[in-house]
Amino acid sequence: MAYSEDHIALAAEYALGTLDADERAQVETMMAVDTEFTAIVHAWEYRLGVLNQMVGSIEPRPIVWESIKAAIGHSTEQRAPLVLPEAPPPPAEAPAEPVVAEATPAVEPTPAAAPPATDNSNVIQLSAARAKRWRNVASVATALAAALVGMLAVQVYRPELLPDALRPKPRIQTVEVKTPVPSPVPSAQYVALLQRDGGSPAFILTVDAATKNFTVRKVGADAEPGKSFELWLISDRLPQPRSLGVIGGSDFTARPVLADYDAGTINSALYAVTVEQAGGSPDGKPHSAPIYTGKLIETVPATR
């Protein structure tokens, strides 16, 4: 069956969930009577449902993260602010006490002893050596971190420049993409409302022009106990009505019996429902007047 762009867009929006309540009810009604339209809706659901499977996630190797964390932690530790111990200031020398000479010439004045001076050279040398050592360690750590970052960059962008032992092993990831089964070529679809005197339909008859299969949906009729509804094809091209079988007790009855008739007979015939004994007419002829009748109308045109 051929579907217009509006039909296809309606099916796509139904799969996306962007329709309002009235439009969704319209689509669900079409799906209830039109199996080909239902297939289009399901095809859209398949197409939209597998988009998130098209690309798989890619994660770096565990050793990469471990190396980065080790390099960052080591570099942070080595770059801690360096505090040098301050050398204590040298103690001030006490002023010499004045010597008062007495009048006795035989005794010479004794000079006061000066306090010993403090030697700070060792402290200054130790602090300078410690600062130099920390600077050397920080320089080495920075160089190692830079080398590691460079090696990681080469592994990502130019792995062929590395030795075989350092080249990353290729990682193969398989992504499964489910492709929906293509739907068959659309064909014409016909529907007949089987009703009495223009009242509410009791049955809905749907016929597929390509396969000549029909489906009868019971919507407003119940057979009496011990009786069965039977469907008939009545055409002026045939000498008498032809039975299409008993309509089952479930909501849907599907049969392929129209394959014995040409398209002209199927499209122009009158379809009727009679009440027969349980199990249908025993001789292939109707035994009561039709109570529900209807003719086919084309709802979906065939592909041109």
Side-chain angles (χ1 to χ4, degrees), residues 75-94:
S75 176
T76 303
E77 178 183 357
Q78 299 301 332
R79 294 179 182 177
L82 180 62
V83 179
L84 297 177
E86 297 181 359
E93 296 183 358

Side-chain angles (χ1 to χ4, degrees), residues 257-293:
V257 294
L258 288 177
D260 297 333
Y261 305 96
D262 60 85
T265 301
I266 294 173
N267 296 339
S268 62
L270 176 70
Y271 294 85
V273 175
T274 62
V275 178
E276 305 292 339
Q277 67 182 24
S281 173
D283 55 5
K285 298 179 181 180
H287 290 268
S288 66
I291 56 175
Y292 303 110
T293 59

Side-chain angles (χ1 to χ4, degrees), residues 86-112:
E86 297 181 359
E93 296 183 358
E97 296 180 357
V99 179
V100 180
E102 295 182 358
T104 305
V107 180
E108 296 181 358
T110 303

